[in-house]
């Protein structure tokens, strides 16, 4: 059967999609990107915030249209939206033939077989189950960069977050499975591994009784063919001296850390259920920068959390100015059904949330301009990702740029560069890089 697969949401969800694609390929199905050719459509959904739910529902409705004419026989919904709203999907969307929960995606082939036989299937397991699938994933990220998921679920239970109810408590993927996945990716040509989980920093605690991310990283560094290893989703309170030492000393590990913080006001952090204070955040950031002076730090913040006052917002503004993050994303608070924060008093109006978000982003633009100017004179390694033919330029990333979420290096080269190659570039001005050789690179943040 020809299967069209639509993956929505985060990079963790994308890994699940790639695993399902691998299982479907192994069963003999053909993957297609052409809607008109699809006999089966699978939509792997997200339900993290309101906008993600809206996108998921809209995509399902669009795919349902394919069943009204043409070849499409089955529409299957998987992922977080299916986990949370299984009954509503089956009741309100008769076009959907099957729903598959977040921890049952390894049953996708059997679900298809049963659906083709005429059954309307529900496939769900305990949210604390950990599927361990021995298959070669189907790559969807360009061939030389990939996400490596090392854990599932989360134990933090922040008051605004629905993830523990949809994905369960934290479970580490055993080291043997992680390493085998990494070796398969490297053998297929992957050069950059982006380490992901709901929280990467507590890897191993449920298996070994202590955090062992630093041990796993040293083993991953031994995988031949891997050039860059990048850490995402590191909670600040879980960053250990051992982890910092691995970041500092292992050549393959990018001096880059994605560290979700969400706020700086002690009062809001407490209401969020976070486990840090502003002073503790400043301490860990200061330590990271002392130990690894060229580290690039990314974080995310939330504006308009219930009870956020102007004083809290001013605290966050001063924090952004003081910390000078290399990368910063700001989101307005989204009340999620079933979370404690949804029922908290003093909900903030949408207009005020957006104003506060915009103020923070304007501050960050000033920080980014300063950071860009400070890059002049530095020599960096660039991973080339492609070429824009009409402009005659190449596109790439440095260790400071995670795929999809950060900036690009634009490369004006007279000689051919192959996508997936690494080149060395020197910043000669705020707007350009000069390759070590005779190729000129133009750079924008």
């Amino acid at each position: 059967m020809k299967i069209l697969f639509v993956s929505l949401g985060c990079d963790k969800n994308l890994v699940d999609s790639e695993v399902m694609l691998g299982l479907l390929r192994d069963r003999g199905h053909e993957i297609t990107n052409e809607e008109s050719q699809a006999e089966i459509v699978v939509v792997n959904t997200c339900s993290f915030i309101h906008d993600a739910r809206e996108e998921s529902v809209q995509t399902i409705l669009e795919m349902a249209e394919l069943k009204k004419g043409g070849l499409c026989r089955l529409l299957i919904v998987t992922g977080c939206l299916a986990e949370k709203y299984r009954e509503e999907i089956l009741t309100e969307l008769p076009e959907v033939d099957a729903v598959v929960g977040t921890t049952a995606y390894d049953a996708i082939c059997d679900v298809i077989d049963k659906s083709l036989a005429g059954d309307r299937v529900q496939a769900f397991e305990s949210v604390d189950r950990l599927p361990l699938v021995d298959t070669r994933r189907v790559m969807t990220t360009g061939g030389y960069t990939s996400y490596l998921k090392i854990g599932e679920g989360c134990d933090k239970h922040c008051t605004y977050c629905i993830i523990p109810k949809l994905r369960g408590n934290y479970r580490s993927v055993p080291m043997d499975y992680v390493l085998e996945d990494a070796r398969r990716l490297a053998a297929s040509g992957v050069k950059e591994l982006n380490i992901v989980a709901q929280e990467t920093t507590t890897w191993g605690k449920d298996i070994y009784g202590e955090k062992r991310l630093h041990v796993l990283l040293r083993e991953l560094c031994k995988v031949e063919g891997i050039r860059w290893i990048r850490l995402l989703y590191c909670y600040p309170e879980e960053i250990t001296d051992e982890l910092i030492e691995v970041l500092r000393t292992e050549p393959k590990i990018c001096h880059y850390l994605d560290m979700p913080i969400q706020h700086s006001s002690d009062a809001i952090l407490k209401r969020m259920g976070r486990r840090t204070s502003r002073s503790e955040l400043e301490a860990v950031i200061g330590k990271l920068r002392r130990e690894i002076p060229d580290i690039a730090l990314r974080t995310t913040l939330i504006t308009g959390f219930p009870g956020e006052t102007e004083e809290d917002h001013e605290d966050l503004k001063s924090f952004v100015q003081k910390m000078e993050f290399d990368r910063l994303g700001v989101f307005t608070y989204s009340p999620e059904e079933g979370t404690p924060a949804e029922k908290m008093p003093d909900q903030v109006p949408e207009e005020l949330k957006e104003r506060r978000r915009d103020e923070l982003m304007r501050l960050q633009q000033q920080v980014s301009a300063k950071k860009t100017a400070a890059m002049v004179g530095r020599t960096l390694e660039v991973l080339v990702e492609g070429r824009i033919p009409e402009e005659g330029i190449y596109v790439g990333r440095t260790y400071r740029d995670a795929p999809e979420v950060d900036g690009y290096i634009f490369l004006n080269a007279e000689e051919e560069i192959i996508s997936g190659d690494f080149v060395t570039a020197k910043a000669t001005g705020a707007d350009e890089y000069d390759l070590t050789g005779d190729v000129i690179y133009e750079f924008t943040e």
Side-chain angles (χ1 to χ4, degrees):
M1 303 289 287
K2 290 187 177 180
I3 300 179
L4 173 68
F5 210 105
V6 182
S7 187
L8 305 173
C10 67
D11 40 41
K12 283 86 70 181
N13 218 36
L14 181 63
V15 173
D16 295 346
S17 295
E18 292 181 344
V19 170
M20 284 189 273
L21 285 167
L23 291 170
L24 293 168
R25 175 205 57 215
D26 294 346
R27 187 65 70 91
H29 294 289
E30 180 181 345
I31 309 303
T32 181
N33 291 322
E34 298 295 331
E35 294 183 3
S36 62
Q37 298 298 313
E39 299 168 280
I40 299 171
V41 177
V42 181
V43 182
N44 194 16
T45 61
C46 179
S47 186
F48 183 53
I49 60 175
H50 174 77
D51 288 349
R53 289 196 301 275
E54 289 293 313
E55 181 186 21
S56 293
V57 171
Q58 185 60 38
T59 301
I60 294 169
L61 293 174
E62 290 175 1
M63 294 300 104
E65 291 295 312
L66 299 179
K67 294 185 69 179
K68 295 180 179 180
L71 301 176
C72 186
R73 296 173 57 185
L74 297 179
L75 174 58
I76 297 171
V77 177
T78 70
C80 289
L81 192 78
E83 184 70 48
K84 187 175 182 180
Y85 297 108
R86 66 183 82 172
E87 298 298 336
E88 291 88 340
I89 291 172
L90 290 173
T91 300
E92 299 177 18
L93 298 172
E95 301 91 345
V96 174
D97 299 284
V99 286
V100 181
T102 56
T103 58
Y105 60 82
D106 54 337
I108 186 65
C109 294
D110 292 338
V111 167
I112 286 176
D113 290 344
K114 292 177 182 178
S115 298
L116 287 172
D119 295 337
R120 203 166 189 221
V121 183
Q122 298 185 54
F124 292 89
E125 301 281 353
S126 165
V127 291
D128 288 318
R129 176 178 181 258
L130 180 63
L132 295 174
V133 180
D134 185 22
T135 189
R136 180 172 54 87
R137 288 154 50 186
V138 172
M139 292 292 299
T140 62
T141 50
Y144 37 83
T145 184
S146 183
Y147 297 100
L148 184 68
K149 187 161 74 166
I150 65 171
E152 185 61 89
C154 185
D155 291 334
K156 297 300 187 184
H157 297 276
C158 299
T159 60
Y160 53 82
C161 185
I162 196 67
I163 291 298
K165 292 186 178 180
L166 302 180
R167 295 278 180 173
N169 290 314
Y170 191 85
R171 292 95 71 205
S172 302
V173 177
M175 183 181 290
D176 289 348
Y177 281 87
V178 175
L179 293 177
E180 182 58 27
D181 195 9
R183 293 187 191 105
R184 285 173 173 161
L185 292 170
S188 70
V190 168
K191 300 178 182 179
E192 177 189 32
L193 293 177
N194 298 279
I195 310 301
V196 299
Q198 300 301 333
E199 177 188 359
T200 57
T201 25
T202 55
W203 183 88
K205 193 171 183 180
D206 55 320
I207 298 176
Y208 307 107
E210 62 182 9
K211 292 176 284 189
R212 290 195 180 181
L213 178 59
H214 60 288
V215 177
L216 176 62
L217 289 173
R218 290 200 187 277
E219 292 302 312
L220 286 171
C221 287
K222 298 175 184 177
V223 176
E224 293 185 10
I226 299 301
R227 183 80 164 263
W228 281 355
I229 298 175
R230 185 186 307 278
L231 273 178
L232 305 176
Y233 310 113
C234 296
Y235 277 53
E237 68 271 22
E238 306 290 356
I239 294 173
T240 63
D241 290 345
E242 293 87 353
L243 179 58
I244 294 175
E245 180 66 9
V246 169
L247 278 165
R248 188 178 69 84
T249 59
E250 285 286 357
K252 288 186 178 182
I253 300 180
C254 296
H255 288 179
Y256 178 105
L257 203 64
D258 172 73
M259 187 169 54
I261 288 175
Q262 314 307 0
H263 217 282
S264 63
S265 163
D266 289 351
I268 297 300
L269 289 167
K270 184 176 181 180
R271 287 170 70 89
M272 286 180 166
R274 303 291 291 183
R275 304 184 184 191
T276 50
S277 64
R278 173 166 175 161
S279 62
E280 290 167 337
L281 292 172
E282 292 185 4
V284 70
I285 292 167
K287 187 171 189 177
L288 284 164
R289 285 176 168 158
R290 285 193 304 273
E291 296 292 329
I292 313 170
D294 65 341
I295 193 167
L297 295 178
R298 159 172 277 282
T299 196
T300 51
L301 303 173
I302 296 174
T303 61
F305 190 79
E308 184 188 55
T309 64
E310 280 300 319
E311 183 180 3
D312 296 321
H313 179 55
E314 290 299 321
D315 185 285
L316 190 52
K317 287 169 62 177
S318 70
F319 182 74
V320 168
Q321 288 177 304
K322 182 177 181 180
M323 292 296 98
E324 295 190 333
F325 291 101
D326 299 89
R327 308 285 185 249
L328 178 71
V330 184
F331 302 90
T332 58
Y333 166 72
S334 173
E336 298 308 310
E337 181 182 354
T339 63
E342 178 200 17
K343 301 185 184 304
M344 285 183 178
D346 303 320
Q347 297 283 330
V348 177
E350 287 298 325
E351 302 80 19
L352 187 53
K353 295 178 190 178
E354 293 171 4
R355 176 179 67 77
R356 290 173 176 174
R357 176 200 60 198
D358 294 344
E359 287 181 5
L360 290 173
M361 290 310 300
R362 282 194 293 271
L363 289 175
Q364 182 59 27
Q365 287 172 358
Q366 298 172 16
V367 172
S368 295
K370 178 180 176 181
K371 293 276 185 178
T372 300
M375 295 300 295
V376 174
R378 287 192 57 186
T379 298
L380 299 177
E381 192 173 50
V382 177
L383 171 60
V384 179
E385 292 205 307
R387 186 172 183 269
I388 305 175
E390 59 272 21
E391 300 292 337
I393 58 175
Y394 291 88
V395 179
R397 290 183 291 110
T398 72
Y399 81 91
R400 297 167 54 81
D401 312 305
E404 303 296 329
V405 295
D406 292 327
Y408 288 96
I409 302 294
F410 294 94
L411 317 169
N412 182 13
E414 295 180 359
E415 62 186 52
E416 182 179 1
I417 304 174
I418 299 172
S419 294
D421 279 357
F422 286 84
V423 296
T424 302
K426 181 180 180 182
T428 57
D431 294 318
E432 65 180 33
Y433 277 82
D434 182 10
L435 185 70
T436 305
D438 56 4
V439 183
I440 301 301
Y441 284 65
E442 295 179 355
F443 167 69
T444 57
E445 181 69 0

